[in-house]
Amino acid sequence: MKLTGALAALATMASAKLTVVPLPQSQLDDGKTYSLSASEFDFASTGANSDFLTQALDRATAVMFGPRMHANELHSLRSLLAQGFLPEEEFDILVAKLLSAPNQSIGFEWYKEAGDLELADGGAITGCDVSVTSDEQIKTLDTDESYKLTILPPRIQITAQTVFGAMYGLETLSQLVDAGTSVDGTQIADSPRFQFRATMIDTSRHWLELKFIKQHIDAMAYSKFNVLHWHLVDSISFPFQSTSYPKMSIDGAYLPNEIYTHDDVKEIVQYGLARGVRTIPEFDTPGHVYRGWESLGVLTQCYDADGNEADTGPLDPTLDLTYEVLSNFYEEVKEVFAPETFVHVGGDEVPDDCWSSNPEITKWMEDHPEVEDFAGLETQFEQKLLTDLKSKGMSYMIWQEIFDNGADILDDTVIDVWKGGWEEEMANVTAAGYHAVLSAPFYLNYINYGMDWVSYYQTEPANFTGGEAAEESGLFAGIEACFWSEFIDATNLAQRAWPRASAVAERAWSVAEDTTDLVDAQERLNQFRCKLMDRGIPAEPIGICGNEGCNSDKSNVAVPGYGGFCPREWSADYVPPMMY
């Protein structure tokens, strides 16, 4: 009998094996399936131990064998217990009832056809040994993130130089386990293409609670991203609570409770590191400043054509006070974001019309003829700032404008390329000997109808003059997916980001020549989207067959479909207003 429509798509998916995103560098399957038992399976550390490894093993256990029915209720009970509203004895009783509920399932379950229940034909696997060589828990651009994974009985083997490589091995393993009961035999040797694989979130235009930032970090870890570029503040708001200058958040936050305290930031930094994600903050200067800076006396006073006071503009680079404030502020930033040493200092979109309207600045320019123009004034500002940061032992990223203006920037500066014409810009930056990060083609805050992940997936970031050599030398550090938040907040960040960002993650991790098959990519991305939802990430569909966003000849790329639906669809808690 010929299957049609949804049944045909379901049958196609049912025959598919569990796959991995991002695609590993090397994978050799043995064609056998092995059985697992949640009650008997154990993880064992056979090398260097660390708190991060212990946490990673606990997370892998939960992903592979954790209960899926009544997960929301179980989470609510745990929250009530932690807050002291529920006695431990009652907690244990209620949890036992939920876990014994009919049709309780564990782990992520993929589609199975009738008669496919007896899948394990290779015997049983009883556990997983994880061997890490180094006990290092600090992550840099030089950290070894490679791993090897061997799924064979009697025990799975994961070996890695660092705990971060082990995390990626555990993530790959977790994506291959079906319903906590079986796993396909395979041998994988894997390492990332780029050392810098980032997403950028913007909490200046819309403030985000910590739980949503953590949710985003979890999804990053599942996709093997390793840097959270946190655009904390902008001219519109200043939610970072500075202890050096408390009025910045008092004046700059949208609301008194919409701030990030030192403890909040440290919590995010540690949460990320425990998942292999560094947190690099961005405090944009000398432009993109207003809210939070008004009371410090460092903003430039602008004047209109008649010489009357108008708005304020960028920081005033002619004032000693400006550098004193920045030095004190970044000393605080260094402590709060430790152990991370990188900071993004912005430098983009600095208007010089305000500086040129200010008579004190124009007089200063006359007295300092070595500063020929306002681009030179900005260059002097950046040089002073970066020199001060270097003296503090900090490293720095900047947007490309500072390089474009011909600034004599420090040799170890990392330049973030974000504008159109990025191919020429990347060639120029790397030819000049600077490290570069590419953001320009990966602005995922923009959306289009249909399967727009294809355009990101098909972008080859090293497609510029000298790109291959820059990648080999490490000057081309990596890429980042950006989520500017003019139209993004907690209601849609996860849906907007995932799994579209996972297409960028694969471009950042996997071998370029091995990831050109859009049919294969769509199958794996759809399956990965289902895994994200199973793990509590409300990832949006990547496309449904038969409409204009998938198989239609009207779409830019016709990709044969794999349904776009999941064995367990998203079920969000909805609680309407009520009296208790």
Side-chain angles (χ1 to χ4, degrees):
M1 180 180 69
K2 182 178 180 181
L3 298 177
T4 60
L7 288 177
L10 180 58
T12 302
M13 283 185 287
S15 63
K17 294 284 188 178
L18 288 180
T19 58
V20 180
V21 171
L23 187 72
Q25 299 268 349
S26 171
Q27 180 172 357
L28 179 62
D29 298 336
D30 70 0
K32 296 181 180 180
T33 300
Y34 302 98
S35 64
L36 307 174
S37 171
S39 60
E40 298 177 1
F41 192 96
D42 72 290
F43 283 102
S45 172
T46 59
N49 288 311
S50 65
D51 290 341
F52 283 175
L53 181 58
T54 299
Q55 294 174 45
L57 297 179
D58 289 344
R59 290 195 303 273
T61 301
V63 170
M64 291 165 55
F65 302 112
R68 293 309 196 263
M69 296 294 290
H70 305 295
N72 291 331
E73 291 89 340
L74 289 166
H75 179 77
S76 297
L77 289 177
R78 181 171 293 179
S79 178
L80 291 172
L81 176 68
Q83 296 176 62
F85 295 127
L86 185 66
E88 191 166 346
E89 302 78 23
E90 292 185 30
F91 171 81
D92 292 337
I93 293 172
L94 292 171
V95 167
K97 287 183 177 180
L98 288 174
L99 292 179
S100 62
N103 301 318
Q104 181 62 269
S105 61
I106 63 173
F108 171 77
E109 184 172 7
W110 195 230
Y111 292 103
K112 295 183 180 68
E113 293 184 89
D116 280 354
L117 297 180
E118 296 296 329
L119 293 175
D121 55 5
I125 288 179
T126 61
C128 176
D129 297 325
V130 181
S131 177
V132 175
T133 302
S134 169
D135 60 1
E136 180 64 58
Q137 296 190 79
I138 304 298
K139 200 167 194 182
T140 70
L141 282 175
D142 298 319
T143 298
D144 189 325
E145 298 177 298
S146 65
Y147 69 91
K148 291 182 179 179
L149 167 65
T150 301
I151 302 178
L152 290 173
R155 295 179 67 83
I156 296 166
Q157 301 295 319
I158 295 176
T159 59
Q161 179 68 27
T162 68
V163 65
F164 303 109
M167 290 179 190
Y168 298 134
L170 289 166
E171 173 56 38
T172 295
L173 170 62
S174 73
Q175 292 187 33
L176 294 171
V177 174
D178 193 358
T181 60
S182 66
V183 63
D184 292 332
T186 191
Q187 296 184 61
I188 291 174
D190 203 8
S191 60
R193 176 183 177 183
F194 291 112
Q195 289 294 103
F196 189 102
R197 307 178 304 279
T199 73
M200 190 222 73
I201 61 171
D202 171 12
T203 58
S204 67
R205 292 166 176 87
H206 285 100
W207 182 83
L208 295 171
E209 287 186 58
L210 295 191
K211 65 180 179 181
F212 295 111
I213 299 177
K214 290 179 178 180
Q215 181 189 53
H216 184 76
I217 290 173
D218 283 338
M220 288 179 63
Y222 300 148
S223 301
K224 298 187 175 76
F225 280 109
N226 68 351
V227 175
L228 176 67
H229 171 181
W230 188 357
H231 187 86
L232 267 156
V233 304
D234 211 294
S235 58
I236 194 68
S237 77
F238 200 100
F240 175 71
Q241 188 179 58
S242 168
T243 55
S244 301
Y245 302 99
K247 278 187 66 63
M248 295 187 84
S249 61
I250 293 173
D251 295 340
Y254 288 124
L255 294 170
N257 63 324
E258 292 191 350
I259 58 173
Y260 300 108
T261 66
H262 281 201
D263 287 343
D264 292 336
V265 169
K266 291 177 180 179
E267 185 176 339
I268 291 298
V269 169
Q270 288 304 309
Y271 190 89
L273 269 181
R275 289 154 179 79
V277 177
R278 301 162 59 191
T279 301
I280 296 179
E282 180 184 354
F283 295 94
D284 204 346
T285 57
H288 286 273
V289 292
Y290 177 55
R291 299 293 184 191
W293 296 89
E294 309 102 300
S295 65
L296 303 183
V298 295
L299 295 178
T300 301
Q301 177 63 58
C302 309
Y303 292 84
D304 62 22
D306 297 324
N308 300 313
E309 289 189 357
D311 295 329
T312 56
L315 298 180
D316 188 337
T318 67
L319 300 177
D320 291 339
L321 177 61
T322 298
Y323 302 101
E324 177 185 333
V325 168
L326 289 173
S327 184
N328 294 337
F329 180 77
Y330 277 113
E331 190 67 46
E332 178 182 352
V333 168
K334 175 185 175 182
E335 186 274 327
V336 176
F337 283 87
E340 182 56 57
T341 61
F342 264 90
V343 63
H344 200 307
V345 299
D348 63 315
E349 299 178 322
V350 181
D352 59 18
D353 54 344
C354 181
W355 285 341
S356 64
S357 75
N358 185 292
E360 294 181 3
I361 290 182
T362 54
K363 176 62 167 61
W364 185 95
M365 297 279 286
E366 292 173 2
D367 295 338
H368 295 79
E370 70 277 9
V371 181
E372 297 179 357
D373 51 27
F374 292 109
L377 184 61
E378 183 182 355
T379 293
Q380 184 184 79
F381 169 85
E382 298 295 349
Q383 288 172 337
K384 285 187 176 182
L385 174 60
L386 297 185
T387 299
D388 182 60
L389 292 176
K390 188 169 187 175
S391 72
K392 300 179 190 300
M394 300 177 74
S395 301
Y396 21 76
M397 295 180 65
I398 60 174
W399 295 112
Q400 70 181 71
E401 281 93 328
I402 300 173
F403 172 82
D404 294 343
N405 290 339
D408 185 18
I409 51 183
L410 303 181
D411 292 341
D412 53 354
T413 304
V414 177
I415 298 172
D416 199 338
V417 175
W418 70 278
K419 288 185 171 184
W422 60 266
E423 294 91 344
E424 181 179 358
E425 184 77 9
M426 288 291 294
N428 292 338
V429 169
T430 54
Y434 293 107
H435 287 84
V437 167
L438 179 61
S439 303
F442 305 116
Y443 269 42
L444 272 66
N445 48 291
Y446 295 129
I447 56 174
N448 296 287
Y449 182 76
M451 301 198 309
D452 65 347
W453 64 268
V454 171
S455 64
Y456 304 119
Y457 193 79
Q458 292 185 309
T459 298
E460 170 46 51
N463 185 27
F464 59 89
T465 302
E468 183 176 347
E471 184 177 338
E472 290 179 359
S473 69
L475 284 178
F476 186 4
I479 62 180
E480 73 173 0
C482 295
F483 296 95
W484 297 100
S485 68
E486 288 89 348
F487 300 98
I488 294 176
D489 63 8
T491 65
N492 65 343
L493 172 61
Q495 294 90 334
R496 182 71 58 87
W498 309 104
R500 295 163 72 239
S502 304
V504 181
E506 183 150 296
R507 191 54 57 230
W509 179 281
S510 306
V511 176
E513 293 78 9
D514 295 342
T515 49
T516 59
D517 186 341
L518 292 176
V519 176
D520 173 73
Q522 183 185 0
E523 178 184 11
R524 289 184 297 103
L525 274 177
N526 177 65
Q527 189 182 102
F528 186 67
R529 180 237 174 186
C530 297
K531 292 170 183 172
L532 288 175
M533 290 202 298
D534 178 73
R535 301 178 187 192
I537 310 296
E540 70 174 17
I542 68 166
I544 298 176
C545 298
N547 69 8
E548 292 189 11
C550 185
N551 279 350
S552 171
D553 57 9
K554 296 180 181 178
S555 62
N556 292 329
V557 180
V559 181
Y562 287 83
F565 52 94
C566 297
R568 186 182 295 118
E569 290 288 2
W570 181 254
S571 178
D573 284 338
Y574 169 63
V575 181
M578 63 181 67
M579 297 295 293
Y580 292 92

